Amino acid sequence: MYGMSGPYPVRGSVSLPEAELMWRFSRSSGPGGQHVNTSDSQVELRFDLARTEALPEVWKARALERLAGRLVDGVVTVRASEHRSQWRNRETAAVRLAALLAEATAPPPKPRRPTRIPRGVNERRLREKKQRSETKRGRTGRDWG
């Protein structure tokens, strides 16, 4: 892993500015052990999407629209508490946020151009269908005796 205080790349040359990230630390839930009740290893990372200057306007509009359900006053929040060390949880949260923003700012997929079914394919299907019907018709047990 790379060192903390990284710029976390979103896509291309755009990355998350460390100054705009708001960190909060709290105790993780889950089974304990020695030291667990005193260490704030759960990480909550908040990023003000509505007011950021780091993302191009087009990206920002796209992200605000796509993440509308996750935003609280234009702020997106990511939590990480898998690891026992706060440092690794910080890494995880930052990488997760960068991935979330990369997905939310991605350009929409190109519309699908409908293609026609080649005539040969259709003819072959009909021919095979006819053949199958002949086979089955031949199975009627009139002549067996």
Side-chain angles (χ1 to χ4, degrees):
M1 287 235 177
Y2 42 86
M4 208 46 228
S5 79
Y8 297 97
V10 175
R11 208 171 64 248
S13 60
V14 178
S15 55
L16 293 175
E18 192 64 42
E20 291 188 25
L21 301 179
M22 295 166 279
W23 300 93
R24 234 177 78 203
F25 308 102
S26 55
R27 296 187 186 143
S28 288
S29 62
Q34 292 164 330
H35 180 67
V36 77
N37 296 329
T38 55
S39 60
D40 291 344
S41 60
Q42 176 173 295
V43 172
E44 189 179 282
L45 173 58
R46 300 170 69 207
F47 180 67
D48 196 338
L49 188 57
R51 292 190 194 77
T52 185
E53 300 293 313
L55 299 175
E57 279 305 312
V58 186
W59 287 22
K60 196 156 95 172
R62 221 180 269 155
L64 283 168
E65 186 184 325
R66 288 189 189 160
L67 297 176
R70 282 195 65 153
L71 299 177
V72 179
D73 299 332
V75 177
V76 65
T77 307
V78 173
R79 265 198 202 90
S81 59
E82 296 84 81
H83 304 293
R84 285 175 56 176
S85 90
Q86 185 193 95
W87 188 86
R88 284 178 65 194
N89 279 333
R90 283 181 71 145
E91 282 292 326
T92 306
V95 168
R96 208 177 278 168
L97 178 65
L100 182 72
L101 287 175
E103 200 177 305
T105 57
K110 289 190 170 67
R112 180 185 170 276
R113 274 189 35 223
T115 52
R116 287 188 52 212
I117 298 171
R119 203 167 69 212
V121 170
N122 219 6
E123 283 172 2
R124 187 169 67 237
R125 181 181 63 86
L126 293 174
R127 203 168 43 246
E128 284 169 4
K129 212 170 152 170
K130 201 163 274 174
Q131 186 117 35
R132 188 95 186 122
S133 109
E134 286 299 315
T135 306
K136 289 190 166 191
R137 234 180 39 174
R139 289 184 187 151
T140 52
R142 282 194 302 269
D143 313 333
W144 303 4

